[in-house]
Amino acid sequence: MIQRKLALLVGITMFTLLLMLRWEHIIHLVSLMRNERPSAEPEPQTDLPSAESTLPLWQRAPMETISPIPGSRHLMVSAFKDHRLGGAILVISIICRQELQPLYCVLCANGDANDSGNTDAKANGALGQCTTSQAKVDIHSDHFGFPFHTSDVFCTTTTSQQASYVSITSDRNTIDNLTFLTIQNQEVKESFRYKYTICISNLFGGYNNALQFAQTMEVYKLIGVQRVVIYNTSCGSDVEKVLTYYMREGMLEVVPWPLHKFLTPSTGWKYDLHHGDIHYYGQLTTLNECIYRYMYQSKYLLLNDIDEIIMPYKHGKLEKIMDTLQQQHPNAGVFRIENHIFPKTQFEDSGRFRLPQWRRVPGVNILEHIYREPDRKSVFNPTKLLIDPRRVEQTSAHTTLKQFGPVVTVPFDVCRIIHVRAPLQGHLSKDQLLVDKKLWEFEKRLIPSIDHALNQSGLL
Ligand SMILES: *[C@@H]1O[C@H](CO)[C@@H](O)[C@H](O)[C@H]1NC(C)=O
Ligand SMILES: *[C@@H]1O[C@H](CO)[C@@H](O)[C@H](O)[C@H]1NC(C)=O
Ligand SMILES: *[C@@H]1O[C@H](CO)[C@@H](O)[C@H](O)[C@H]1NC(C)=O
Ligand SMILES: *[C@@H]1O[C@H](CO)[C@@H](O)[C@H](O)[C@H]1NC(C)=O
């Protein structure tokens, strides 16, 4: 009893402290510790929309990453076969926790080969035989009090192995006018197009930190990242130009994330403080969607924010670090990396990287911020994740919720996050901060490549 009271007291004290620091991520983590577990896991489908006009009426256009579930306020995002769960069909969804009526899966075969089996579907395309069965809904545990949350809607019937399309509905009696999602990840693959892919959850508001974004993308390249995925609700005009450049250039996939058309997304992490229908613009849904989207496309995924760089300190490349870590922990699929803050309010004195050509580009120049905040005794250092997506079933922002195999905490000197942002310990003066010039090691290749990217984006 005393222990519980003490724990509560410590919890409240810490919480207040953190609140003052306004660091949502830490608070988020503390919440986790206090058992308000967070989670997320939707998935949109976005193959680029070249053939939209040829889609049959029942199939969703690729730009429409989110669809309503008929007869409810729930939303469905994307569908995948999960080979780790006996080939169950999983529809990443956003479920209203207060309105849990039964839901049904309509699984349909591909009718292309033989249209005569198409007795049920009122479709103007090739939808094959369909079967309806009750869905099983698994709401992720980390909802932070928000009414809507990331959920796995499972469809398991004997016919699920043959299904190519799925739709979720609350009305089991009609399949008229349903929107069908293509079931992705039909085949297990052993080799992957990318080795390191970064999943960046939502871009929203007028986010226009173009300089930091372009610099960060070029650092990613130098440490060995081949692909970046960003879920886009909205952004500022200069960031838009940089996004367009990287899409054209091939490194970036932008997944449309028009969540505001369906819900009132929260800009914060906790319902009591920030209100809205869903945590952080559905951040957790996008992270989970990204895991399934890239499960057979990328060997590893890095789940971090747009202003964070998971930096291999011990070697210059992710490759070497991961080879070593994976050798040491052959069955691990989750690697937790510590976040470290580089306040954007403290500038390096010499002005060496205050380059004239970048002066008119909006955003933070990460090369000017070499001062790192020290760890605090009483505060958790939140982590971000580097994962093998085939070993993760559900994730939250700082920890996974369901995974196969052990979770490894990566030592600070091996790999840590460079996070240039507003300070958390704003009272500290320069000499109380630590000097960390890791980014400068990339100078020779980095400066010309940043210039090139900005020029190609039309920002120089
Ligand atoms: C199409 O299905 C019908 C009835 O199920 C069957 O009789 C016919 O042989 C099939 N045709 C082809 C080309 O598979
Ligand atoms: C399906 O959509 C059409 C056109 O929007 C509408 O006329 C029809 O009533 C709908 N059917 C059902 C069962 O909702
Ligand atoms: C991001 O989303 C906004 C709002 O839909 C859109 O105007 C913009 O073009 C999108 N950017 C990219 C690069 O897709
Ligand atoms: C910017 O791009 C243009 C056209 O692509 C090129 O002519 C120019 O030299 C480039 N400038 C820099 C600074 O890279």
Side-chain angles (χ1 to χ4, degrees), residues 345-358:
T345 47
Q346 296 286 6
F347 291 80
E348 179 273 320
D349 287 325
S350 77
R352 180 172 163 188
F353 292 105
R354 201 169 303 148
L355 304 182
Q357 69 269 31
W358 297 346

Side-chain angles (χ1 to χ4, degrees), residues 113-117:
N114 190 342
D115 241 349
S116 61

Side-chain angles (χ1 to χ4, degrees), residues 305-339:
D305 288 347
I306 195 162
D307 54 358
E308 295 170 337
I309 299 172
I310 292 185
M311 176 59 74
Y313 271 76
K314 201 162 185 175
H315 313 280
K317 296 257 185 196
L318 288 169
E319 183 83 15
K320 280 216 174 117
I321 297 219
M322 286 317 294
D323 285 351
T324 311
L325 284 174
Q326 199 77 83
Q327 248 165 30
Q328 288 166 349
H329 312 277
N331 297 316
V334 179
F335 299 88
R336 302 184 61 180
I337 322 262
E338 276 182 26
N339 199 348

